Amino acid sequence: MIIPCMNEAGSLPGVLGRIPDGYHVVVVDNNSTDDTAEVARAHGATVVGETVPGYGSAVHTGVLAAETEVICVLDGDGSMDPQDLTHLVAALEGADLAVGRRAAGHSPLHARIGNAGLSLRLRTKYKLPVHDLGAIRAVRRQALLDLNVTDRRSGYPLQLLVLASKAGWKVVERDVSYSPRTAGTSKVSGSFKGTVVAVRDFWKVL
Ligand SMILES: Nc1nc2c(ncn2[C@@H]2O[C@H](COP(=O)(O)OP(=O)(O)O)[C@@H](O)[C@H]2O)c(=O)[nH]1
Ligand SMILES: [Mg+2]
């Protein structure tokens, strides 16, 4: 299980306290200026550092560091429940990629509109059965590496979905919970500016 983290020391204890049995956690510390790395280690995670900023950069470093056949990725801000990953991993039985559809309740309005537009495009142009952007996911590690996702910023999850479609992968989506982050500050969708930058990143991919 890979958790990209930039200054998530406040949220991590809650996240790492809900890891399902049998999972090994790699926290990718992306230039945190707080105690993210120490907190992660204290809660049993392996910590890998990544100095190149960006969500995709942190995730890719985690994928390289992981040693399991199947990997999962989720945020370290407490907005997602690691227990949901067991359903996504189970769905890989009949699929190449399993992504979560986050409950919409707590997202800011601009983020919801952006997600709706982009996921509509994924359904129509790329024939993917998705209603969200794959922010939490499970996939086989080697297949993911072979797919060669190159985006190192917030477009990473979207590029993964587009490449999966082009490669003829079977993609499935499952409902997952979604709450406000439990501490710290948002790096992407919490601010209007962050969302504009992210949507621009996304649209380039599409
Ligand atoms: N955007 C961004 N997120 C990062 C980076 N490094 C790690 N992350 C983590 O990626 C996850 C998602 O970021 P978050 O701020 O929650 O985005 P939001 O939910 O869209 O507001 C969090 O666990 C971040 O700590 C980075 O360089 N940029
Ligand atoms: Mg978040």
Side-chain angles (χ1 to χ4, degrees):
M1 184 173 306
I2 295 162
I3 311 183
C5 285
M6 187 175 133
N7 294 333
E8 303 293 6
S11 304
L12 264 180
V15 176
L16 296 177
R18 287 187 60 77
I19 304 299
D21 287 345
Y23 284 72
H24 177 238
V25 180
V26 175
V27 165
V28 184
D29 175 13
N30 203 188
N31 299 317
S32 295
T33 51
D34 69 1
D35 293 337
T36 289
E38 291 79 356
V39 169
R41 271 186 219 105
H43 288 80
T46 298
V47 177
V48 178
E50 172 52 61
T51 53
V52 178
Y55 170 87
S57 174
V59 170
H60 183 64
T61 293
V63 173
L64 292 179
E67 291 171 349
T68 48
E69 188 192 335
V70 169
I71 54 138
C72 326
V73 181
L74 88 163
D75 292 352
D77 63 352
S79 62
M80 300 167 180
D81 185 355
Q83 301 273 335
D84 281 332
L85 285 166
T86 59
H87 308 299
L88 297 184
V89 169
L92 284 182
E93 200 73 51
D96 301 298
L97 171 65
V99 293
R101 177 183 187 171
R102 293 169 292 177
H106 299 289
S107 307
L109 182 64
H110 55 262
R112 264 184 277 168
I113 293 169
N115 274 15
L118 292 163
S119 60
L120 175 67
R121 185 133 173 116
L122 290 172
R123 289 197 297 283
T124 52
K125 185 170 175 193
Y126 295 99
K127 309 291 179 222
L128 292 166
V130 298
H131 305 80
D132 198 353
L133 306 181
I136 170 170
R137 70 199 85 96
V139 63
R140 288 179 198 87
R141 180 176 177 273
Q142 192 55 53
L144 173 63
L145 288 171
D146 293 344
L147 207 56
N148 195 25
V149 180
T150 53
D151 195 295
R152 293 292 175 262
R153 303 201 306 177
S154 43
Y156 179 103
L158 197 67
Q159 191 192 26
L160 169 55
L161 283 166
V162 167
L163 293 177
S165 163
K166 287 179 176 166
W169 280 21
K170 181 164 168 56
V171 177
V172 295
E173 188 181 59
R174 295 283 182 271
D175 287 336
V176 297
S177 63
Y178 194 57
S179 319
R181 60 162 50 247
T182 49
T185 52
S186 165
K187 286 99 216 168
V188 189
S189 65
S191 74
F192 184 73
K193 181 165 168 274
T195 301
V196 170
V197 169
V199 170
R200 212 191 291 138
D201 276 0
F202 292 161
W203 209 257
K204 264 188 247 157
V205 175
L206 291 178

